[in-house]
Amino acid sequence: MTASKPAEDTPGPRFGGVPVDKRLLAAAPVLAPAVTARLVEQLPAYGALPSEQLRGEITKEVDRGIRAFIQVLRSGELPAEAELARISESSARRADEGVPLEAVVGAYHVGAEECTAQVLAAAEPGDLADVLLVQRRLLGYLRQVSCAVAAGYVQERQAALGDEQVARQSLLSRLLEGGNPQAAADRAGIRLPPSYLVLAVAMGPHPDELLPGVNHAVAARRKLRRLRNELQRQSAGVALSVLSGDGGLVLIPYETPAADFAAADRDRLTRLVEQLSLMCGAELLVAAAAAVPHGVADAALLVSEVRKVVEAAGRRPGLYLLDDVLLEYQLSRPSPARDRLAALLAPLAERTELLGTLRAFLACGLDRRRAAARLQVHPNTVDYRLRKAAELTGLDAARGTDLLTLHAALAAHESVRQDRPDTS
């Protein structure tokens, strides 16, 4: 009996005299979208992914997998190291997004089922040997691919808890505690910069987080990953952060001493905030301050308070420094004067629509049309509510002498409301 030939010397399988790889290659353009559709139908984790990701990244990965299998059918050689590395990288991205490992492995099996169904229909009775050859090469391909998927997935999960990350989080904790962070920086292998830009970030939702049927946790993780990636790309050193889907704290290393922070630095930071918002696809409201490393703890408390003041004042997304809200910030400090100012708006306690309209009107620079657009009401409704608020409080936003008092009363009202959540 003649010894069997090595796989790479075995001719490619043929059905009906036509090479199977050619049949599959001809079907590839329509097969990739079909496989993606089956993933959505059969694997809930993929069905919950954002549609933009499914149409783009996932469909491209499916197409690459199909073409890799075509090459296996043609040559009998299993995927090379470069292809396996790409598969591992893709699996790592799914791990970062929280897609279960069984779904990632299952996606390749769904693709294999579609491919074999596409070509087996053309098999004839005399093609049994070639059918068996297709099955052997398919099983070899799936074995290697499954190992690459598992390796990439596990490595990503381990990396999330790796020593480097632990050391960086330790440095972040030390900076936020106050004191000398040098020892923690040395353990993390990070050079302490002359200063840090300390950012308190309020992050709005990505549009995908508002769509029914989309896994909002996955969409939020994708948003965060984009934000972190852009932060690292824009930072000269290692940016440190503690972030969730609605915001958190970021420390950006900065070479300009904190005492020298000036208008040009603010402009650069404004552009950075705009770029971060663009890249993560969500509105960002950021309160910022520059601080030397041992002053980060105090700066973090300050920007957290500034952010609350800015949000309470109904300001638009963007960058804010303490200088932008000096009056509101001072009025947020407990005092008899603050309580008296807040009491001026007590007649509106049960009329939240009046209070919200007044807040929007002032935040929009006394522009009734902009206020109406923000509130999604007619400008005449804004006029009516402002008149009603003036009747109840005796303070008219259209009267210059009352304008400063109203700004102060709103700031005081919001501060008191946050101190006593049961109040309006």
Side-chain angles (χ1 to χ4, degrees), residues 102-181:
E102 62 268 27
V104 184
V105 174
Y108 284 90
H109 285 261
V110 169
E113 290 171 9
E114 280 290 318
C115 287
T116 52
Q118 179 72 32
V119 296
L120 284 176
E124 298 178 354
D127 295 331
L128 178 59
D130 287 316
V131 169
L132 295 176
L133 180 57
V134 167
Q135 294 292 342
R136 285 199 301 272
R137 293 185 176 178
L138 174 62
L139 290 174
Y141 172 76
L142 285 177
R143 183 179 65 252
Q144 273 212 342
V145 164
S146 296
C147 290
V149 167
Y153 196 99
V154 171
Q155 287 172 7
E156 173 60 23
R157 292 292 84 203
Q158 290 175 336
L161 301 173
D163 291 341
E164 180 180 279
Q165 187 65 21
V166 170
R168 290 182 179 183
Q169 289 302 311
S170 178
L171 172 59
L172 175 59
S173 297
R174 190 72 184 96
L175 287 163
L176 295 177
E177 290 167 1
N180 189 348

Side-chain angles (χ1 to χ4, degrees), residues 27-329:
V30 295
L31 196 53
V35 171
T36 303
R38 273 198 64 190
L39 295 183
V40 171
E41 293 172 0
Q42 298 186 8
L43 300 173
Y46 279 82
L49 291 176
S51 59
E52 166 260 337
Q53 185 183 11
L54 288 168
R55 291 193 305 270
E57 180 187 2
I58 300 301
T59 300
K60 288 179 181 177
E61 290 291 339
V62 169
D63 184 71
R64 288 171 180 168
I66 292 171
R67 294 179 187 278
F69 178 54
I70 290 171
Q71 182 59 31
V72 172
L73 288 175
R74 181 183 300 122
S75 66
E77 297 180 359
L78 293 174
E81 290 299 320
E83 176 62 14
L84 294 176
R86 186 195 62 74
I87 291 171
S88 290
E89 291 171 1
S90 175
S91 176
R93 290 195 293 274
R94 302 292 82 75
D96 182 62
E97 295 165 359
V99 178
L101 176 58
E102 62 268 27
V104 184
V105 174
Y108 284 90
H109 285 261
V110 169
E113 290 171 9
E114 280 290 318
C115 287
T116 52
Q118 179 72 32
V119 296
L120 284 176
E124 298 178 354
D127 295 331
L128 178 59
D130 287 316
V131 169
L132 295 176
L133 180 57
V134 167
Q135 294 292 342
R136 285 199 301 272
R137 293 185 176 178
L138 174 62
L139 290 174
Y141 172 76
L142 285 177
R143 183 179 65 252
Q144 273 212 342
V145 164
S146 296
C147 290
V149 167
Y153 196 99
V154 171
Q155 287 172 7
E156 173 60 23
R157 292 292 84 203
Q158 290 175 336
L161 301 173
D163 291 341
E164 180 180 279
Q165 187 65 21
V166 170
R168 290 182 179 183
Q169 289 302 311
S170 178
L171 172 59
L172 175 59
S173 297
R174 190 72 184 96
L175 287 163
L176 295 177
E177 290 167 1
N180 189 348
Q182 189 60 58
D186 292 342
R187 285 193 296 272
I190 294 174
R191 179 186 70 87
L192 287 174
S195 67
Y196 278 102
L197 298 179
V198 185
L199 313 182
V201 180
M203 191 182 323
H206 186 279
D208 288 336
E209 294 180 76
L210 305 176
L211 294 176
V214 170
N215 187 319
H216 296 166
V218 170
R221 278 193 285 268
R222 282 169 58 80
K223 174 182 69 176
L224 280 176
R225 187 175 71 222
R226 290 167 176 162
L227 178 65
R228 290 193 181 105
N229 288 345
E230 187 64 15
L231 268 173
Q232 294 299 348
R233 194 180 74 83
Q234 296 276 358
S235 300
V238 177
L240 305 172
S241 64
V242 52
L243 291 165
S244 64
D246 58 0
L249 191 71
V250 176
L251 306 183
I252 301 176
Y254 204 57
E255 292 305 311
T256 300
D260 296 335
F261 190 89
D265 301 289
R266 179 189 179 126
D267 290 342
R268 282 193 291 271
L269 186 52
T270 297
R271 290 193 295 272
L272 173 62
V273 170
E274 292 171 351
Q275 181 65 15
L276 292 174
S277 177
L278 177 66
M279 294 305 294
C280 75
E283 291 185 334
L284 301 180
L285 187 151
V286 178
V292 295
H294 64 265
V296 163
D298 290 338
L301 290 174
L302 173 64
V303 296
S304 178
E305 292 174 344
V306 170
R307 191 193 81 176
K308 290 178 182 177
V309 167
V310 171
E311 289 179 310
R315 300 289 188 94
R316 303 289 293 174
L319 174 69
Y320 294 89
L321 307 182
L322 175 60
D323 287 352
D324 299 320
V325 288
L326 285 174
L327 174 63
E328 293 92 338
Y329 180 83

